Amino acid sequence: MRTSKSTPYLFLAPFLILFIVFIGLPVIVAIFLSLTDFDTVNMPNIVWFRNYVNLITSDSVFMQYVLPNTIEFSVIVGPGGYALSFLLAWAIAQLTRVPRTILALIFYSPSLTMGTAMGVLWKMIFSGDRLGLVNAYMIEWGFYTEPITFLSSSTWLLPIMIIVGLWSACGVGFLSILAGIMNCDEELYEAGSIDGIKNRFQEMIYITIPTMLPQMLFAAVMAIVNTFNNGSIGVTLSGSNPTPGYAGQLIVNHIDDYGYIRYEMGYAAACSVVLLLIIMVFSKVFNTLFTEKD
């Protein structure tokens, strides 16, 4: 085994096979389908780049609602959730073991139960009748007299989606950041205090963050992927796809709309390829920021 050059490939084979079957081939198929007119019944008809041209020039819903909604949601929830994950991880890392473990489970649990929570908790909070918690308290306190239909309102749906997105932002990336903070070498903090670092904030900026760049990069990539894939929030809260007035329509919802409702698989594949390219660009940016320089 020490002399055979094929041994490393044998160890890599399970991962490579799974990666090719479940990631590589689907991406290749999606790129191919994006160049076709395919309705899931008839054979795909090659149309080359017509789907991409139509997406940019003819799809008014995409340009007027989907793209702006996706950008607004991603710009707020992505960096906001990432910063929130780091600050919470850094704060609870200062605690002793038992409260740290309990709080880590509390902050991580929303990412596991988001679907159930949206169906029960958030719908109850923003229910459009007088029984909804927000409407009940606002009417009782005299802010308005008639209940607001939050989840079917083109004004309120996207802000509520952003709130839910931030609430569920502490996922796997949060745990990786917490693990990175907990594994920082204590001797570095002692050396930093000798060199003039005076408070916890300076420790975080000059020691903690530079020593856990791999965990920060992983958390950033997970934040990007989760943010762009959070299209289920608007559909679950409003109960329809497209969302009312396209107020909460994100790229993922647009893909589901054309792929599983209209059965225009070629056009849906083109949207998914565009989404993949956007995620790759943002991942490249974060990889550049958090990769250690030689």
Side-chain angles (χ1 to χ4, degrees):
M1 292 181 64
R2 292 180 180 179
T3 59
S4 176
K5 295 182 179 180
S6 62
T7 302
Y9 296 100
L10 292 177
F11 284 100
L12 290 173
F15 169 78
L16 292 175
I17 293 172
L18 292 174
F19 179 83
I20 292 172
V21 172
F22 293 104
I23 297 180
L25 288 178
V27 169
I28 294 173
V29 172
I31 294 173
F32 168 73
L33 289 178
S34 71
L35 305 175
T36 67
D37 182 13
F38 181 45
D39 59 2
T40 72
V41 177
N42 300 307
M43 290 296 294
N45 178 35
I46 301 293
V47 295
W48 298 110
F49 296 100
R50 189 178 72 186
N51 288 326
Y52 295 99
V53 173
N54 290 340
L55 181 65
I56 297 174
T57 62
S58 302
D59 193 340
S60 59
V61 172
F62 180 81
M63 299 303 295
Q64 186 175 354
Y65 299 102
V66 175
L67 191 57
N69 289 345
T70 303
I71 293 174
E72 181 178 352
F73 182 85
S74 302
V75 166
I76 298 175
V77 174
Y82 182 68
L84 182 63
S85 296
F86 177 81
L87 291 175
L88 290 174
W90 179 79
I92 67 175
Q94 315 304 317
L95 303 176
T96 56
R97 181 176 180 179
V98 174
R100 181 175 65 238
T101 303
I102 295 174
L103 288 175
L105 290 173
I106 291 174
F107 289 129
Y108 178 65
S109 60
S111 65
L112 299 176
T113 61
M114 187 171 65
T116 304
M118 282 192 296
V120 179
L121 175 64
W122 292 104
K123 280 190 173 183
M124 179 178 67
I125 293 175
F126 292 105
S127 177
D129 53 28
R130 293 179 179 270
L131 298 178
L133 294 181
V134 174
N135 278 327
Y137 283 112
M138 289 301 176
I139 292 174
E140 181 180 352
W141 294 339
F143 287 96
Y144 47 80
T145 57
E146 294 296 326
I148 298 175
T149 55
F150 291 104
L151 302 182
S152 59
S153 169
S154 59
T155 303
W156 291 101
L157 182 57
L158 186 58
I160 293 173
M161 289 173 57
I162 291 172
I163 293 173
V164 176
L166 290 173
W167 171 76
S168 61
C170 294
V172 177
F174 162 75
L175 295 182
S176 70
I177 293 175
L178 179 60
I181 295 174
M182 296 302 301
N183 287 316
C184 285
D185 191 351
E186 292 294 333
E187 294 182 357
L188 295 176
Y189 295 105
E190 295 176 4
S193 63
I194 296 174
D195 289 340
I197 291 180
K198 299 178 181 179
N199 53 55
R200 290 295 180 89
F201 179 77
Q202 290 181 338
E203 286 182 352
M204 179 178 67
I205 297 298
Y206 295 112
I207 298 177
T208 305
I209 294 178
T211 56
M212 50 176 290
L213 291 180
Q215 291 86 353
M216 298 286 287
L217 174 60
F218 174 78
V221 173
M222 294 304 299
I224 294 168
V225 174
N226 292 334
T227 299
F228 282 102
N229 285 333
N230 265 343
S232 61
I233 295 178
V235 173
T236 303
L237 290 175
S238 64
S240 65
N241 187 13
T243 54
Y246 297 102
Q249 201 76 354
L250 306 181
I251 293 182
V252 174
N253 306 131
H254 207 54
I255 294 170
D256 291 340
D257 182 16
Y258 276 89
Y260 301 111
I261 298 177
R262 309 188 194 197
Y263 294 104
E264 297 182 22
M265 289 295 181
Y267 193 79
C271 295
S272 67
V273 172
V274 171
L275 178 59
L276 176 63
L277 293 175
I278 294 174
I279 293 176
M280 288 178 61
V281 169
F282 279 94
S283 298
K284 182 64 176 178
V285 171
F286 278 100
N287 186 57
T288 302
L289 291 175
F290 291 111
T291 300
E292 294 185 12
K293 306 296 189 298
D294 294 333

mmCIF file of all heavy atoms in Angstrom, residues 151-175:
data_model
loop_
_atom_site.group_PDB
_atom_site.id
_atom_site.type_symbol
_atom_site.label_atom_id
_atom_site.label_comp_id
_atom_site.label_asym_id
_atom_site.label_seq_id
_atom_site.Cartn_x
_atom_site.Cartn_y
_atom_site.Cartn_z
ATOM 1 N N LEU A 151 -49.271 38.048 5.782
ATOM 2 C CA LEU A 151 -48.702 36.990 4.949
ATOM 3 C C LEU A 151 -49.234 36.990 3.522
ATOM 4 O O LEU A 151 -48.742 36.229 2.693
ATOM 5 C CB LEU A 151 -48.950 35.625 5.602
ATOM 6 C CG LEU A 151 -48.371 35.480 7.012
ATOM 7 C CD1 LEU A 151 -48.634 34.091 7.554
ATOM 8 C CD2 LEU A 151 -46.874 35.782 7.019
ATOM 9 N N SER A 152 -50.217 37.823 3.241
ATOM 10 C CA SER A 152 -50.694 37.963 1.860
ATOM 11 C C SER A 152 -50.548 39.394 1.369
ATOM 12 O O SER A 152 -51.119 39.759 0.340
ATOM 13 C CB SER A 152 -52.160 37.521 1.750
ATOM 14 O OG SER A 152 -52.990 38.309 2.607
ATOM 15 N N SER A 153 -49.754 40.183 2.104
ATOM 16 C CA SER A 153 -49.545 41.574 1.749
ATOM 17 C C SER A 153 -48.251 41.727 0.968
ATOM 18 O O SER A 153 -47.200 41.217 1.382
ATOM 19 C CB SER A 153 -49.497 42.441 3.009
ATOM 20 O OG SER A 153 -49.043 43.745 2.721
ATOM 21 N N SER A 154 -48.305 42.435 -0.152
ATOM 22 C CA SER A 154 -47.099 42.682 -0.944
ATOM 23 C C SER A 154 -46.134 43.615 -0.222
ATOM 24 O O SER A 154 -44.960 43.699 -0.589
ATOM 25 C CB SER A 154 -47.489 43.280 -2.304
ATOM 26 O OG SER A 154 -48.212 44.492 -2.127
ATOM 27 N N THR A 155 -46.617 44.320 0.785
ATOM 28 C CA THR A 155 -45.764 45.236 1.556
ATOM 29 C C THR A 155 -45.023 44.521 2.674
ATOM 30 O O THR A 155 -43.849 44.811 2.947
ATOM 31 C CB THR A 155 -46.610 46.374 2.149
ATOM 32 O OG1 THR A 155 -47.298 47.064 1.096
ATOM 33 C CG2 THR A 155 -45.736 47.357 2.910
ATOM 34 N N TRP A 156 -45.675 43.571 3.325
ATOM 35 C CA TRP A 156 -45.130 42.984 4.545
ATOM 36 C C TRP A 156 -44.476 41.621 4.349
ATOM 37 O O TRP A 156 -43.696 41.190 5.206
ATOM 38 C CB TRP A 156 -46.244 42.842 5.597
ATOM 39 C CG TRP A 156 -46.724 44.146 6.125
ATOM 40 C CD1 TRP A 156 -47.851 44.823 5.780
ATOM 41 C CD2 TRP A 156 -46.072 44.951 7.116
ATOM 42 N NE1 TRP A 156 -47.966 45.999 6.485
ATOM 43 C CE2 TRP A 156 -46.873 46.103 7.319
ATOM 44 C CE3 TRP A 156 -44.898 44.819 7.847
ATOM 45 C CZ2 TRP A 156 -46.521 47.091 8.225
ATOM 46 C CZ3 TRP A 156 -44.557 45.806 8.751
ATOM 47 C CH2 TRP A 156 -45.371 46.924 8.924
ATOM 48 N N LEU A 157 -44.766 40.912 3.262
ATOM 49 C CA LEU A 157 -44.293 39.533 3.136
ATOM 50 C C LEU A 157 -42.772 39.440 3.115
ATOM 51 O O LEU A 157 -42.178 38.635 3.847
ATOM 52 C CB LEU A 157 -44.879 38.888 1.872
ATOM 53 C CG LEU A 157 -44.489 37.419 1.660
ATOM 54 C CD1 LEU A 157 -44.898 36.577 2.856
ATOM 55 C CD2 LEU A 157 -45.122 36.876 0.380
ATOM 56 N N LEU A 158 -42.103 40.258 2.303
ATOM 57 C CA LEU A 158 -40.645 40.173 2.215
ATOM 58 C C LEU A 158 -39.965 40.554 3.535
ATOM 59 O O LEU A 158 -39.022 39.853 3.958
ATOM 60 C CB LEU A 158 -40.129 41.044 1.070
ATOM 61 C CG LEU A 158 -38.627 40.924 0.775
ATOM 62 C CD1 LEU A 158 -38.253 39.483 0.436
ATOM 63 C CD2 LEU A 158 -38.220 41.854 -0.368
ATOM 64 N N PRO A 159 -40.369 41.641 4.230
ATOM 65 C CA PRO A 159 -39.760 41.906 5.550
ATOM 66 C C PRO A 159 -39.933 40.764 6.538
ATOM 67 O O PRO A 159 -39.009 40.470 7.312
ATOM 68 C CB PRO A 159 -40.488 43.170 6.024
ATOM 69 C CG PRO A 159 -40.903 43.855 4.760
ATOM 70 C CD PRO A 159 -41.245 42.752 3.811
ATOM 71 N N ILE A 160 -41.093 40.099 6.515
ATOM 72 C CA ILE A 160 -41.298 38.957 7.406
ATOM 73 C C ILE A 160 -40.376 37.807 7.011
ATOM 74 O O ILE A 160 -39.809 37.118 7.874
ATOM 75 C CB ILE A 160 -42.779 38.513 7.382
ATOM 76 C CG1 ILE A 160 -43.659 39.601 8.003
ATOM 77 C CG2 ILE A 160 -42.972 37.200 8.121
ATOM 78 C CD1 ILE A 160 -45.141 39.345 7.876
ATOM 79 N N MET A 161 -40.201 37.596 5.708
ATOM 80 C CA MET A 161 -39.264 36.569 5.241
ATOM 81 C C MET A 161 -37.846 36.861 5.729
ATOM 82 O O MET A 161 -37.107 35.943 6.120
ATOM 83 C CB MET A 161 -39.292 36.496 3.711
ATOM 84 C CG MET A 161 -40.547 35.909 3.120
ATOM 85 S SD MET A 161 -40.586 36.058 1.310
ATOM 86 C CE MET A 161 -39.076 35.210 0.858
ATOM 87 N N ILE A 162 -37.458 38.119 5.732
ATOM 88 C CA ILE A 162 -36.122 38.494 6.208
ATOM 89 C C ILE A 162 -35.990 38.211 7.700
ATOM 90 O O ILE A 162 -34.955 37.700 8.162
ATOM 91 C CB ILE A 162 -35.856 39.981 5.903
ATOM 92 C CG1 ILE A 162 -35.725 40.185 4.383
ATOM 93 C CG2 ILE A 162 -34.603 40.468 6.618
ATOM 94 C CD1 ILE A 162 -35.640 41.633 3.964
ATOM 95 N N ILE A 163 -37.035 38.508 8.474
ATOM 96 C CA ILE A 163 -37.011 38.221 9.912
ATOM 97 C C ILE A 163 -36.848 36.724 10.160
ATOM 98 O O ILE A 163 -36.023 36.300 10.967
ATOM 99 C CB ILE A 163 -38.306 38.744 10.582
ATOM 100 C CG1 ILE A 163 -38.349 40.276 10.540
ATOM 101 C CG2 ILE A 163 -38.398 38.256 12.026
ATOM 102 C CD1 ILE A 163 -39.658 40.860 11.016
ATOM 103 N N VAL A 164 -37.627 35.914 9.434
ATOM 104 C CA VAL A 164 -37.544 34.459 9.604
ATOM 105 C C VAL A 164 -36.178 33.946 9.154
ATOM 106 O O VAL A 164 -35.594 33.055 9.774
ATOM 107 C CB VAL A 164 -38.676 33.767 8.826
ATOM 108 C CG1 VAL A 164 -38.549 32.254 8.924
ATOM 109 C CG2 VAL A 164 -40.032 34.206 9.338
ATOM 110 N N GLY A 165 -35.643 34.528 8.062
ATOM 111 C CA GLY A 165 -34.332 34.127 7.578
ATOM 112 C C GLY A 165 -33.237 34.400 8.593
ATOM 113 O O GLY A 165 -32.350 33.563 8.820
ATOM 114 N N LEU A 166 -33.278 35.559 9.231
ATOM 115 C CA LEU A 166 -32.291 35.885 10.265
ATOM 116 C C LEU A 166 -32.470 35.002 11.496
ATOM 117 O O LEU A 166 -31.496 34.596 12.140
ATOM 118 C CB LEU A 166 -32.416 37.363 10.659
ATOM 119 C CG LEU A 166 -31.971 38.377 9.600
ATOM 120 C CD1 LEU A 166 -32.315 39.794 10.053
ATOM 121 C CD2 LEU A 166 -30.481 38.260 9.321
ATOM 122 N N TRP A 167 -33.719 34.690 11.830
ATOM 123 C CA TRP A 167 -34.010 33.843 12.986
ATOM 124 C C TRP A 167 -33.417 32.448 12.815
ATOM 125 O O TRP A 167 -32.979 31.825 13.787
ATOM 126 C CB TRP A 167 -35.520 33.771 13.169
ATOM 127 C CG TRP A 167 -35.986 32.774 14.191
ATOM 128 C CD1 TRP A 167 -35.945 32.895 15.543
ATOM 129 C CD2 TRP A 167 -36.580 31.501 13.923
ATOM 130 N NE1 TRP A 167 -36.482 31.777 16.134
ATOM 131 C CE2 TRP A 167 -36.883 30.915 15.163
ATOM 132 C CE3 TRP A 167 -36.913 30.817 12.753
ATOM 133 C CZ2 TRP A 167 -37.483 29.663 15.257
ATOM 134 C CZ3 TRP A 167 -37.502 29.571 12.844
ATOM 135 C CH2 TRP A 167 -37.781 29.007 14.088
ATOM 136 N N SER A 168 -33.384 31.957 11.585
ATOM 137 C CA SER A 168 -32.888 30.600 11.330
ATOM 138 C C SER A 168 -31.471 30.596 10.780
ATOM 139 O O SER A 168 -31.028 29.599 10.210
ATOM 140 C CB SER A 168 -33.821 29.891 10.342
ATOM 141 O OG SER A 168 -33.861 30.586 9.104
ATOM 142 N N ALA A 169 -30.737 31.704 10.930
ATOM 143 C CA ALA A 169 -29.410 31.825 10.309
ATOM 144 C C ALA A 169 -28.331 31.031 11.023
ATOM 145 O O ALA A 169 -27.295 30.735 10.448
ATOM 146 C CB ALA A 169 -28.999 33.302 10.254
ATOM 147 N N CYS A 170 -28.535 30.689 12.286
ATOM 148 C CA CYS A 170 -27.494 30.008 13.065
ATOM 149 C C CYS A 170 -27.542 28.504 12.816
ATOM 150 O O CYS A 170 -28.046 27.737 13.649
ATOM 151 C CB CYS A 170 -27.656 30.313 14.552
ATOM 152 S SG CYS A 170 -27.367 32.043 14.959
ATOM 153 N N GLY A 171 -27.020 28.085 11.679
ATOM 154 C CA GLY A 171 -27.008 26.673 11.332
ATOM 155 C C GLY A 171 -25.650 26.045 11.519
ATOM 156 O O GLY A 171 -24.960 26.279 12.508
ATOM 157 N N VAL A 172 -25.243 25.240 10.524
ATOM 158 C CA VAL A 172 -23.962 24.532 10.602
ATOM 159 C C VAL A 172 -22.799 25.519 10.660
ATOM 160 O O VAL A 172 -21.795 25.281 11.347
ATOM 161 C CB VAL A 172 -23.816 23.582 9.398
ATOM 162 C CG1 VAL A 172 -22.463 22.881 9.426
ATOM 163 C CG2 VAL A 172 -24.936 22.558 9.394
ATOM 164 N N GLY A 173 -22.922 26.641 9.939
ATOM 165 C CA GLY A 173 -21.865 27.647 9.982
ATOM 166 C C GLY A 173 -21.650 28.196 11.377
ATOM 167 O O GLY A 173 -20.510 28.447 11.796
ATOM 168 N N PHE A 174 -22.725 28.381 12.114
ATOM 169 C CA PHE A 174 -22.640 28.840 13.505
ATOM 170 C C PHE A 174 -21.856 27.848 14.357
ATOM 171 O O PHE A 174 -20.986 28.231 15.145
ATOM 172 C CB PHE A 174 -24.059 29.030 14.056
ATOM 173 C CG PHE A 174 -24.157 29.073 15.551
ATOM 174 C CD1 PHE A 174 -23.763 30.195 16.248
ATOM 175 C CD2 PHE A 174 -24.657 27.988 16.250
ATOM 176 C CE1 PHE A 174 -23.857 30.240 17.635
ATOM 177 C CE2 PHE A 174 -24.754 28.019 17.628
ATOM 178 C CZ PHE A 174 -24.353 29.145 18.325
ATOM 179 N N LEU A 175 -22.110 26.555 14.161
ATOM 180 C CA LEU A 175 -21.388 25.537 14.927
ATOM 181 C C LEU A 175 -19.911 25.500 14.555
ATOM 182 O O LEU A 175 -19.047 25.296 15.415
ATOM 183 C CB LEU A 175 -22.026 24.160 14.695
ATOM 184 C CG LEU A 175 -23.455 23.975 15.200
ATOM 185 C CD1 LEU A 175 -23.929 22.561 14.940
ATOM 186 C CD2 LEU A 175 -23.556 24.297 16.695
#
